[in-house]
Amino acid sequence: MSGEVPVRSGVLRRILRGPRPEAVPAVVASACTLVGVLDVAAGVFPRFRYSRMHAIAEVLPGALGPFAAALAISTGMLLLLLAHGLRRRKRRAWRAAVVLLPAGAVAQFAYRHSLIGMVISLALLAPLLRHRSEFEALPDPRSRWRALANFVLVGAGSLLLGLVIVSAHPNRLVGDPSLSDRIEHVLYGLCGFEGPVDYSGNTSWTVAFSLGALGLLTAVTTIYLAFRPEHPAARLTAQDEEGLRALLEKHGGRDSLGHFALRRDKAVVFSPSGKAAVTYRVVSGVMLASGDPIGDVEAWPGAIERFMDEAQAHSWTPAVMGCSETGGEVWTRETGLDALELGDEAVVDVADFSLAGRAMRNVRQMVKRIERAGYETRVRRIRDLSEGELERVRRAAEDWRGTDTERGFSMALGRIGDPADGDCLIATAHKADAEPGPYGDLKAVLHFVPWGTDGVSLDLMRRDRSADPGMNELLIVAALQAAPKLGIVRVSLNFAMFRAALARGEKIGAGPVLRAWRGLLVFLSRWFQIESLYKFNAKFRPRWEPRFVVYASSRDLPRIGLAAMQAEGFVNLALPRLLRRRKALPTPCAHRVAERGVRAA
């Protein structure tokens, strides 16, 4: 994608180190996973200790006795929980493993008098201590949601594993307990009480201690996550925002997504010179940037290097969503990452736009029909609206949102009417003869953010569900027709994912692979606005500007895709709207209305 450009020595050293975890952490994590699985199996299945795997199982914690069985299960579960952190080189996971493995070695000798088992535990400890410098990654941003997620996931795992434990001794069962009896026994056992299932011999003690260990493990890990110090995700400070606005004032016309860097739920790294910056959010261990770096192109490498250093320090997976072709070339040249075309952005040049002609007949007819129905439009800068009207627009945009969660990240600002965003453009549709509603005669809203001094980029689209169809088309046409009076020469509309595949796949002569790929995209459009966005954009005869995703390895793409969907609001852990306590509307500076309507990334 780019020519041969000399790479600076600092960047070269980072590439040689590689963004991926080192070999030692990966091997240690795999060893912890294997030992954890064998520990759990040795504690749960009595026959496991007398099978062909006896030679391995006998040197693991939990081969004999109820205490040892409980210890095996809890040790194995903890090792499984720590494996992911060790693979990501997390310092705290290393510390926990260093404490856990000697404890397991002592337990081997104390409960089973097994010198071999003690040596096995210490053998895994040896590479941890020898290569401790490999485990220096800092903690991820975290919140109390992690405790709830841990309780649900570990609790569900404990319930399923408990059912296996209860059912793993068929020859010792007294009677024939039903599935409901076994589930009840597991639930009681996790809480430390005796359930309805009974066994002959000492098996009851083994099952009781094992279930109690699982319940204690679930409780302890959840309590730890709930009460440990909270490290919230970074936010833009007032000083950061001031620096970004200064860069946008000089270089904001370069990228239509530049103004979206001012979302206040993003963090930022500046180049050493302060002439460029990269904004990002960390989602599920992915350090997700969006758009091109902000500022002087000559200073982009410095900001990119700071971004990569931050990813390296925390062992985050670096990724960039929606950068331009120029941005993709700089990112790949400076970091050694790869780029993949994600889709196209629709940009309309105001001077070339007209409703005349056969190609615009459908849009023209729709607009005329709506105007005849009594709708009128107003296109103004945010600073020209009164506070009362802004309040109505904010409440309408919130209530007209089509989903329970706010959507948008890479191409959404997340607020309307902030005093610092006075240059934003707002287009509203009104119907005076309609029955007055809670928002007066307001029926639809489009919000645009500045793109330099002579352009705007579409932020969100909201409309009253009872309004006539075509509100979005009406307001886009109104904005384009009013653009010359406002000094606007270009308007960025929606982003169409995989537009090229959709366009080429429906043409005559398209091959079977391309047609199959297009068919899959059309199928996925039932849940994600892929085809509908492309067709909506195409109505206005735009020029298409390609956008790219930048990533370290193809095996990272599923993880990056999931993180992007979380950031955009398509996947979330938020409570449904009906269960959330309704809050008073915040002040304009803090208010956020984040979904883009039909805009997606």
Side-chain angles (χ1 to χ4, degrees):
M1 186 173 296
S2 61
E4 298 294 332
V5 179
V7 181
R8 302 185 318 175
S9 58
V11 178
L12 179 59
R13 285 195 300 270
R14 186 180 60 249
I15 294 173
L16 292 177
R17 291 198 307 264
R20 304 294 305 173
E22 300 293 343
V24 171
V27 171
V28 169
S30 300
C32 278
T33 302
L34 177 61
V35 172
V37 170
L38 292 176
D39 276 359
V40 172
V44 171
F45 302 106
R47 294 183 179 179
F48 182 84
R49 296 188 288 272
Y50 306 104
S51 66
R52 296 179 181 179
M53 295 298 293
H54 174 70
I56 297 177
E58 67 177 357
V59 300
L60 296 173
L64 297 172
F67 289 103
L71 181 63
I73 293 171
S74 57
T75 301
M77 290 284 287
L78 286 172
L79 287 174
L80 290 174
L81 293 174
L82 290 173
H84 179 65
L86 290 173
R87 188 178 300 276
R88 295 183 59 205
R89 304 181 296 106
K90 292 297 184 180
R91 187 67 175 179
R92 292 191 175 184
W94 177 87
R95 291 172 179 168
V98 166
V99 172
L100 182 63
L101 288 173
V106 171
Q108 286 276 10
F109 184 78
Y111 287 118
R112 301 194 57 238
H113 308 291
S114 172
L115 292 176
I116 297 178
M118 183 172 65
V119 170
I120 291 293
S121 296
L122 296 178
L124 182 57
L125 178 65
L128 282 174
L129 294 175
R130 181 181 178 183
H131 300 281
R132 58 184 177 274
S133 61
E134 300 287 348
F135 300 89
E136 295 290 345
L138 301 175
D140 291 348
R142 57 179 183 250
S143 67
R144 305 304 180 199
W145 280 106
R146 183 72 181 273
L148 178 60
N150 178 86
F151 177 77
V152 173
L153 296 177
V154 178
S158 297
L159 178 62
L160 294 176
L161 186 57
L163 284 174
V164 175
I165 293 172
V166 170
S167 305
H169 310 273
N171 296 329
R172 300 294 183 92
L173 280 171
V174 176
D176 185 19
S178 63
L179 178 60
S180 61
D181 290 333
R182 299 180 191 221
I183 294 176
E184 183 180 354
H185 189 84
V186 172
L187 294 175
Y188 275 108
L190 292 176
C191 298
F193 300 104
E194 185 177 354
V197 179
D198 197 12
Y199 301 86
S200 61
N202 294 327
T203 304
S204 294
W205 288 100
T206 302
V207 172
F209 276 107
S210 299
L211 293 177
L214 286 176
L216 183 62
L217 180 66
T218 303
V220 168
T221 55
T222 301
I223 292 171
Y224 166 74
L225 293 174
F227 288 97
R228 67 178 178 172
E230 189 172 9
H231 285 188
R235 296 289 187 269
L236 282 185
T237 65
Q239 184 178 1
D240 291 336
E241 185 171 340
E242 183 180 353
L244 287 173
R245 289 187 182 276
L247 293 178
L248 288 171
E249 186 176 353
K250 295 180 180 179
H251 307 281
R254 184 175 297 278
D255 183 16
S256 63
L257 308 188
H259 201 85
F260 298 124
L262 297 175
R263 283 183 65 104
R264 290 174 182 141
D265 57 358
K266 291 184 178 181
V268 61
V269 289
F270 288 90
S271 66
S273 65
K275 295 182 178 180
V278 175
T279 58
Y280 67 91
R281 186 197 295 176
V282 179
V283 182
S284 299
V286 177
M287 191 176 182
L288 200 63
S290 58
D292 292 344
I294 308 300
D296 188 353
V297 176
E298 297 296 327
W300 283 8
I304 290 173
E305 185 171 5
R306 288 279 180 88
F307 176 89
M308 296 298 292
D309 288 342
E310 190 78 4
Q312 179 77 13
H314 292 83
S315 192
W316 292 330
T317 300
V320 185
M321 298 295 296
C323 64
S324 69
E325 188 168 5
T326 300
E329 288 178 352
V330 177
W331 273 101
T332 55
R333 182 188 68 203
E334 294 295 323
T335 63
L337 302 179
D338 292 324
L340 178 69
E341 185 171 340
L342 187 61
D344 295 89
E345 176 187 14
V347 178
V348 178
D349 294 314
V350 173
D352 298 332
F353 177 78
S354 174
L355 285 177
R358 183 177 180 83
M360 298 297 296
R361 182 179 60 181
N362 290 338
V363 176
R364 182 174 62 251
Q365 291 177 346
M366 179 175 291
V367 170
K368 294 298 183 183
R369 177 178 56 81
I370 296 174
E371 289 177 342
R372 287 195 298 269
Y375 289 90
E376 64 175 25
T377 59
R378 303 169 192 170
V379 181
R380 295 159 289 173
R381 298 284 186 182
I382 283 288
R383 59 174 172 264
D384 297 328
L385 272 69
S386 66
E387 184 56 38
E389 188 170 4
L390 270 177
E391 183 77 6
R392 288 194 299 272
V393 169
R394 291 191 198 103
R395 289 190 290 107
E398 174 72 18
D399 291 343
W400 293 343
R401 191 176 65 216
T403 59
D404 285 339
T405 58
E406 294 180 344
R407 289 181 177 174
F409 167 68
S410 56
M411 298 181 181
L413 183 60
R415 58 183 181 266
I416 295 178
D418 192 298
D421 298 325
D423 287 337
C424 289
L425 195 69
I426 190 163
T428 55
H430 305 262
K431 192 173 184 182
D433 59 349
E435 184 176 346
Y439 316 112
D441 60 355
L442 183 65
K443 295 299 179 183
V445 175
L446 260 63
H447 187 254
F448 299 82
V449 300
W451 176 10
T453 59
D454 59 356
V456 291
S457 184
L458 182 58
D459 176 26
L460 65 81
M461 308 169 73
R462 304 281 171 83
R463 69 178 181 87
D464 188 344
R465 299 299 175 183
S466 65
D468 293 340
M471 289 291 103
N472 293 331
E473 289 87 343
L474 172 68
L475 289 179
I476 287 178
V477 170
L480 290 169
Q481 291 176 338
K485 298 179 181 179
L486 298 170
I488 296 170
V489 300
R490 52 187 178 170
V491 177
S492 170
L493 298 180
N494 298 310
F495 173 75
M497 292 185 65
F498 308 116
R499 184 215 51 102
L502 290 170
R504 292 196 298 264
E506 63 183 355
K507 291 183 178 180
I508 187 171
V513 175
L514 186 57
R515 289 186 180 274
W517 174 226
R518 182 183 182 277
L520 176 61
L521 293 176
V522 172
F523 174 75
L524 293 176
S525 295
R526 298 180 181 181
W527 298 277
F528 307 102
Q529 296 172 332
I530 300 176
E531 186 184 28
S532 60
L533 276 175
Y534 161 59
K535 291 185 174 181
F536 180 84
N537 293 336
K539 293 179 181 180
F540 303 97
R541 318 299 294 176
R543 56 182 170 89
W544 300 100
E545 297 289 343
R547 291 279 173 174
F548 298 84
V549 56
V550 177
Y551 59 97
S553 171
S554 57
R555 55 186 168 180
D556 289 330
L557 286 175
R559 185 180 180 188
I560 293 171
L562 178 60
M565 292 180 68
Q566 287 179 271
E568 296 290 347
F570 290 101
V571 176
N572 66 86
L573 298 176
L575 293 173
R577 183 185 296 185
L578 294 177
L579 299 180
R580 293 198 298 267
R581 185 173 59 185
R582 194 166 184 83
K583 299 180 181 180
L585 198 66
T587 59
C589 291
H591 184 76
R592 298 183 59 239
V593 220
E595 196 216 355
R596 267 189 69 79
V598 300
R599 183 161 187 154

